[in-house]
Amino acid sequence: MKWLAALALALPVVLGSPQGIDVSNYQSDVNWSTVKANGVEFAYIKATEGTSYKNPSFSSQYTGATSAGLIRGSYHFALPDVSSGATQATYFAANGGGWSADGITLPGALDIEYNPYGATCYGLSASAMVAWITDFSNTYHTKTGRYPVIYTTTDWWTTCTGNASGFQNNNPLWIARYSSSIGTLPAGYSYTTFWQFADSGSNGPGDQDLFNGDSAGLARLAKGS
């Protein structure tokens, strides 16, 4: 894909890259004007989890980010032990996870990480987990015309997918690593599109992120061109 290939920049991401934050209902009251004034250019906002949870702050957060002039997108917290990938992708797309080529909407993101409620890998084998993610990704693409960004850690990916390769062909990577460097990436990825490098900071509430590129590249990602 042209826009994906265009982001293949040398690691590590430099601090001059566009800055972002990601928020959930834990950050229900965000002063988006201040966030924008701090230099933040983009935001990811939690929309859904599993097939029964909708972020009650999503609408106000998404509208606030839009009004402040940020490029914004939404993310879904995966619960692979609850229902199929297709079911959750459909739920996400219908409840804030949609996409349009308006130049300000980032592709939806699949947040898949260690289970906060139970079994480390949600009780799935590595092959079953790969199948679940593939099901989510393909269904989201069918619903929206875009493949989702995958948010994860290299440790989780190695543990729960067997360090599967292949997703780099369609899915931009959003790696979480709270360190001064990105470190090793999941198999197949030679770069990350987003880097969540801290869980707090001066730019605004929520987790702190960087985009691997420049502002024009961020706009291209949003546009899908």
Side-chain angles (χ1 to χ4, degrees):
M1 299 177 71
K2 291 187 298 181
W3 62 268
L4 195 60
L7 296 175
L9 307 177
L11 293 178
V13 175
V14 296
L15 291 178
S17 301
Q19 302 171 64
I21 61 171
D22 59 275
V23 298
S24 66
N25 192 47
Y26 289 112
Q27 298 85 28
S28 59
D29 187 18
V30 180
N31 188 324
W32 291 103
S33 296
T34 299
V35 169
K36 175 71 171 179
N38 287 341
V40 169
E41 296 184 42
F42 69 92
Y44 264 107
I45 300 161
K46 183 175 183 178
T48 51
E49 180 173 322
T51 52
S52 60
Y53 176 83
K54 302 176 188 178
N55 173 14
S57 301
F58 175 77
S59 181
S60 63
Q61 290 172 329
Y62 202 81
T63 300
T66 304
S67 298
L70 272 65
I71 292 178
R72 72 289 186 270
S74 55
Y75 74 88
H76 172 81
F77 189 88
L79 296 178
D81 56 343
V82 170
S83 58
S84 70
T87 297
Q88 292 191 35
T90 300
Y91 183 74
F92 175 45
N95 292 284
W99 177 81
S100 61
D102 55 12
I104 60 171
T105 305
L106 294 167
L110 173 64
D111 177 352
I112 191 152
E113 56 184 274
Y114 284 115
N115 185 0
Y117 310 117
T120 295
C121 297
Y122 301 88
L124 273 64
S125 66
S127 60
M129 185 64 76
V130 170
W132 192 97
I133 298 169
T134 301
D135 195 26
F136 184 101
S137 179
N138 289 341
T139 302
Y140 185 80
H141 180 261
T142 298
K143 296 289 183 182
T144 68
R146 297 295 299 271
Y147 285 101
V149 173
I150 293 178
Y151 167 95
T152 194
T153 67
T154 300
D155 186 71
W156 184 90
W157 194 262
T158 301
T159 301
C160 294
T161 74
N163 204 21
S165 182
F167 290 95
Q168 72 276 5
N169 296 325
N170 293 315
N171 302 97
L173 178 65
W174 179 5
I175 201 72
R177 188 168 192 262
Y178 300 164
S179 178
S180 59
S181 63
I182 293 170
T184 302
L185 297 176
Y189 285 97
S190 59
Y191 62 95
T192 187
T193 300
F194 296 103
W195 175 21
Q196 185 188 87
F197 62 90
D199 59 4
S200 63
S202 59
N203 287 335
D207 302 315
Q208 311 291 295
D209 303 285
L210 289 172
F211 172 73
N212 188 2
D214 56 17
S215 297
L218 181 65
R220 287 194 298 272
L221 175 62
K223 188 71 173 178
S225 59

